[in-house]
Amino acid sequence: VLGHKEEPIDVGLRPSGQPRFGDYQAGFAMSMGKKLGRPPRALAQAVVDAVDWSDLCEKLPEVAGPGFINFTLARALLQKLATHLGRDERLGVEPIGTPRIVVVDYSSPNVAKAMHVGHLRSTIIGDCLARVLGFLGDRVIRQNHIGDWGTQFGMLIQHMVEQESGVQNLEGEVGDLERLYQDAKRRFDAEPEFADRARARVVQLQAGDEETLGKWRKLVEASQRHFEHVYHRLGVHLGRDDVRGESFYNPLLAKVVVDLESHGKVKLDQGAKVVYPQGFKNPEGLPAGMIVQKSDGGYLYATTDLAAARYRIEELGGTRLVYVTDSRQMQHFAMVFQALREVGWAPEEVSLEHVPFGMVLGPDRKPFKTRSGDTIKLIDLLDEAIRRAGDIARRKNPELSEEQLGDLAKAIGIGAIKYADLSNQRIKDYVFDWDQMLAFDGNTAPYLQNAYVRIRSIFRKGGLDAAEFMGQSILLAEPGDRLLTLKLLEFGTAVEAVSRTLEPHRLCGYLYDLATSYHRFYEQCPVLTAETEDIRNSRLALSHLAARTLALGLDLLGIDVVERM
């Protein structure tokens, strides 16, 4: 019909926006009609006339509008698909055909500083992407590129040497680290002699002086404890084995510059060594460059990022490199990626992907800060989320023990923060709003968690074991059964979309639609009081399938479900 026997065609099959138009809609006739020189509606009708639809569709597909084809699946086929889905441990999510080694770079806090709200998005988005890619079968290597090297450590270590109390305080909280940093910075700015000693200490650090390295290790260790505390509270999968900080790549930087020179990519500019990737201009219209070595011999972020990418490709075997950082670094990574291509360190078969995101804003639509204008510490933000969620949980569940309330508060509070972030298109800024993110209605984590609880309560009310209904035959007795089934069948597509686009909001949107569909189904279709035992069992199977899908989808987002709410 289409005249293309060998070339695969994307038929553009999508779920129908309106049930009255059918279950699915295909829009290929518009694009193919132009290629073949045929009117789209005539081409669509030719396809409908040429195929035997009796086993696939309830009725003959209809051509609509400029050339869309509307399909209503045969009930027997849909029941078979739903029953099979209910028996599938992966809920219709097919593993990737050819697994890749995917290196995901995210979080990246700095040693001797508390993690703050600016680290929230990278950490949450990166963790979600790592979960999704891993579930699809990729081998995911998490990388936490912490800031643990550079001139500021000379200042910190010299202050530690001269103030023994600073060394003792490193056994305490990260606040002690911050005070140490602030005190050292004040001295560096106010005492020229101390600044000279600090610069000399940097030289000792870079030369491997053991006393200096010992103090540096104390700083890193104390910071690691803080990072681990935040990650545990946040429910993020990042451990010490995932840390490869700037110090790891420091021994590789000289070779990076030498090899760039051997490829003829380095030019001197006032003593600095600069690389000019093709296709980039500065505001004056001149070629834009990246400094890879300063005139004093020091290296910059571009050098480290080139070394890190080279290591991830050549040593870790990465075939898809994913960098989760804020959108202000878009040009930086675009230039790094272009340089990697030009010197052949990143072959064409290796995917280089920057995952940019917008800012977290306060109610005034300015960067989110405390009322006094200070940066908000991430651990304080998480504690506040748990406290607020705990107040809500205590009002709704006064009979629960303090331990139960604590678990519930953490699941709701942390889930609310994560979902508020992930459900927004990541490239956009969003306003941090406690009332909105903790609401039990609308597109929020508490709404989804409550949908799961509502389903689970059906089985408790009936004194039933939900697992017994996994794999039961599913019957489509009413339109509500059908609409919920169609939505459940979309889960695999939603997960795959996150892998392809690296946009978690696509999965969030699906889960919200699923929860809404289930509430509508529950209102329209009696479950425990269904008219026959077969329909009752079918609806219990559908309910269990919906609960499993919500739980798995939320887990891929890094959000816990709860049994009571």
Side-chain angles (χ1 to χ4, degrees), residues 392 396 411-424 431 433-452 505 507-516 519 550 553-554 557 559-561 565:
I392 296 170
K396 291 179 176 288
I412 295 173
I414 300 301
I417 283 184
K418 286 186 172 184
Y419 193 85
D421 192 302
L422 295 171
S423 60
N424 284 277
V431 175
D433 185 325
W434 284 118
D435 292 336
Q436 182 177 334
M437 68 177 57
L438 286 166
F440 278 68
D441 52 13
N443 190 12
T444 67
Y447 176 76
L448 298 183
Q449 291 167 321
N450 197 43
Y452 175 83
H505 79 273
L507 178 56
C508 295
Y510 167 78
L511 294 174
Y512 175 63
D513 289 345
L514 173 60
T516 303
H519 286 311
L550 284 170
L554 287 169
L557 298 176
I559 297 172
D560 294 332
V561 293
M565 207 161 176

Side-chain angles (χ1 to χ4, degrees), residues 140-278:
V140 175
I141 300 175
R142 294 167 167 84
Q143 294 286 272
N144 193 0
H145 191 112
I146 66 172
D148 65 350
W149 201 251
T151 55
Q152 72 272 27
F153 287 95
M155 175 186 77
L156 282 162
I157 294 167
Q158 187 61 32
H159 184 64
M160 288 171 65
V161 169
E162 297 178 13
Q163 303 289 329
E164 281 302 315
S165 60
V167 179
Q168 298 302 319
N169 282 343
L170 290 184
E171 304 303 322
E173 297 298 320
V174 73
D176 299 322
L177 274 173
E178 293 229 305
R179 283 188 290 276
L180 181 74
Y181 184 92
Q182 291 164 1
D183 291 346
K185 185 69 168 65
R186 276 193 292 269
R187 292 189 67 195
F188 188 86
D189 293 339
E191 302 175 27
E193 292 181 357
F194 173 77
D196 290 340
R197 294 195 299 273
R199 294 187 187 96
R201 184 65 66 172
V202 174
V203 176
Q204 291 177 291
L205 177 65
Q206 293 172 340
D209 174 70
E210 194 52 45
E211 181 196 15
T212 304
L213 283 174
K215 298 291 191 295
W216 173 77
R217 292 188 189 102
K218 279 183 174 287
L219 286 168
V220 173
E221 171 61 27
S223 297
Q224 287 275 36
R225 289 197 300 271
H226 166 66
F227 301 155
E228 288 170 352
H229 178 53
V230 173
Y231 296 144
H232 177 73
R233 182 71 57 87
L234 197 52
V236 163
H237 294 161
L238 266 182
R240 295 201 178 198
D241 291 344
D242 304 316
V243 171
R244 279 198 177 87
E246 293 173 3
S247 63
F248 179 85
Y249 302 106
N250 191 61
L252 311 178
L253 302 185
K255 188 174 187 327
V256 166
V257 175
V258 168
D259 289 351
L260 287 169
E261 290 174 323
S262 71
H263 282 86
K265 293 296 180 181
V266 174
K267 295 183 179 180
L268 285 176
D269 186 347
Q270 300 180 38
K273 296 181 178 180
V274 186
V275 172
Y276 292 90
Q278 298 173 12

Side-chain angles (χ1 to χ4, degrees), residues 337-457:
F337 293 167
Q338 179 63 24
L340 289 166
R341 297 290 190 202
E342 289 178 18
V343 297
W345 295 344
E348 285 303 316
E349 62 269 19
V350 173
S351 175
L352 303 172
E353 298 171 71
H354 181 220
V355 181
F357 53 81
M359 299 179 68
V360 183
L361 306 178
D364 57 0
R365 304 199 67 83
K366 295 179 180 179
F368 193 30
K369 295 181 180 294
T370 65
R371 290 184 178 180
S372 62
D374 295 330
T375 301
I376 295 175
K377 292 181 174 60
L378 190 47
I379 197 65
D380 293 341
L381 190 72
L382 303 182
D383 287 345
E384 177 68 7
I386 293 170
R387 185 192 67 76
R388 287 174 179 258
D391 291 343
I392 296 170
R394 189 172 285 103
R395 289 198 301 270
K396 291 179 176 288
N397 304 274
E399 75 284 358
L400 294 183
S401 69
E402 284 303 311
E403 182 180 357
Q404 290 172 319
L405 283 169
D407 292 341
L408 187 56
K410 182 179 179 183
I412 295 173
I414 300 301
I417 283 184
K418 286 186 172 184
Y419 193 85
D421 192 302
L422 295 171
S423 60
N424 284 277
Q425 291 188 33
R426 58 170 167 73
I427 194 61
K428 295 182 178 180
D429 300 339
Y430 76 92
V431 175
F432 193 95
D433 185 325
W434 284 118
D435 292 336
Q436 182 177 334
M437 68 177 57
L438 286 166
F440 278 68
D441 52 13
N443 190 12
T444 67
Y447 176 76
L448 298 183
Q449 291 167 321
N450 197 43
Y452 175 83
V453 168
R454 186 176 188 178
I455 298 171
R456 297 288 293 155
S457 69

